[in-house]
Amino acid sequence: EVQLVQSGAEVKKPGESLRISCKGSGYSLTNYWISWVRQMPGKGLEWMGRIDLSDSYTNYSPSFQGHVTISADKSFSTAYLQWSSLKASDTAMYYCARRVAGSNWFDPWGQGTLVTVSS
Amino acid sequence: QSALTQPRSVSGSPGQSVTISCTGTSSDVGGFNYVSWYQQHPGQAPKLMIYDVSERPSGVPDRFSASKSGNTASLTISGLQAEDEADYYCCSYAGSYIWIFGGGTRLTVL
């Protein structure tokens, strides 16, 4: 079974750094991308960016470019989303989702990681 | 890019049909046949329901259908059931390896 398992909930203070993870299992890494999607409390889904796990090539939504960094470790079948300096407005649920090469949809999705940023 | 436009809410009684619209531009919905739809129940991760405008993944009931005309895509759910009550999001490819979601629609089964 193809699965994406995300790291657990985080509570951080403004200005702190954070990296959350998304580990894939049940499929080969080649020809798959991982996207990250933000869902702020009570709000809709926002596509943040993606990474190709085979070569770590990334691209970002203009709304998130420069605010987050997406990376990956192919040897661990894991993608990461990181912040160098969190803000209260980063409080949200973050989902990872798989995109098969050549497709334009996301399936499956991880269970989500809740990030809370509060002083 | 701005979020695709969806109605905030729709409702219907069990057995009825509802349609959710998703309006974008010629740079996203209208420019590519790459619209997908996701169902999200409270507290759960989104689930793929439709891809490539009108294709259903295996396991998705055929009560779910979708189409596109110009810059507007539509998801129709026929024979509404209580378990269909959820939030629905459209998503479109927008070129240059960028994707954009709609604002989401809350479906209430009366």
Side-chain angles (χ1 to χ4, degrees):
Chain A
E1 180 193 4
V2 176
Q3 269 193 315
L4 296 177
V5 178
Q6 298 185 227
S7 51
E10 302 273 2
V11 179
K12 291 289 189 179
K13 290 180 167 39
E16 292 186 331
S17 62
L18 174 65
R19 188 177 78 168
I20 62 176
S21 66
C22 169
K23 183 174 174 59
S25 64
Y27 65 95
S28 171
L29 278 177
T30 56
N31 297 323
Y32 291 105
W33 298 356
I34 294 292
S35 280
W36 287 96
V37 177
R38 182 176 78 174
Q39 187 167 37
M40 299 179 76
K43 302 297 184 182
L45 305 175
E46 300 172 270
W47 185 83
M48 301 174 71
R50 63 94 186 175
I51 187 165
D52 182 338
L53 267 74
S54 65
D55 62 11
S56 291
Y57 184 83
T58 58
N59 66 289
Y60 299 85
S61 162
S63 299
F64 293 93
Q65 179 84 48
H67 297 287
V68 296
T69 301
I70 298 173
S71 60
D73 188 329
K74 185 168 65 173
S75 61
F76 288 102
S77 305
T78 301
Y80 303 96
L81 178 66
Q82 66 184 65
W83 297 260
S84 59
S85 181
L86 287 160
K87 303 174 184 177
S89 57
D90 292 317
T91 294
M93 181 71 82
Y94 293 88
Y95 294 100
C96 63
R98 187 190 73 164
R99 175 220 181 227
V100 175
S103 76
N104 287 282
W105 64 87
F106 305 110
D107 182 63
W109 292 59
Q111 84 277 19
T113 295
L114 180 62
V115 174
T116 303
V117 184
S118 174
S119 54
Chain B
Q1 291 97 339
S2 300
L4 306 175
T5 300
Q6 297 182 232
R8 276 188 165 268
S9 64
V10 298
S11 62
S13 299
Q16 289 187 332
S17 295
V18 295
T19 296
I20 299 171
S21 61
C22 169
T23 301
T25 69
S26 57
S27 296
D28 37 66
V29 175
F32 307 94
N33 288 322
Y34 297 140
V35 177
S36 52
W37 289 89
Y38 302 86
Q39 176 191 65
Q40 186 180 35
H41 286 110
Q44 296 186 20
K47 174 189 173 185
L48 176 69
M49 303 300 285
I50 296 285
Y51 65 94
D52 288 354
V53 175
S54 59
E55 300 297 315
R56 266 191 323 274
S58 61
V60 173
D62 59 7
R63 302 185 293 103
F64 290 83
S65 62
S67 62
K68 189 190 84 167
S69 178
N71 296 338
T72 298
S74 299
L75 173 70
T76 297
I77 309 169
S78 57
L80 269 178
Q81 299 182 4
E83 66 251 35
D84 298 332
E85 186 162 292
D87 293 328
Y88 291 84
Y89 294 90
C90 61
C91 180
S92 176
Y93 181 62
S96 302
Y97 301 118
I98 298 286
W99 283 263
I100 185 168
F101 283 96
T105 298
R106 173 71 51 88
L107 168 62
T108 301
V109 180
L110 302 170

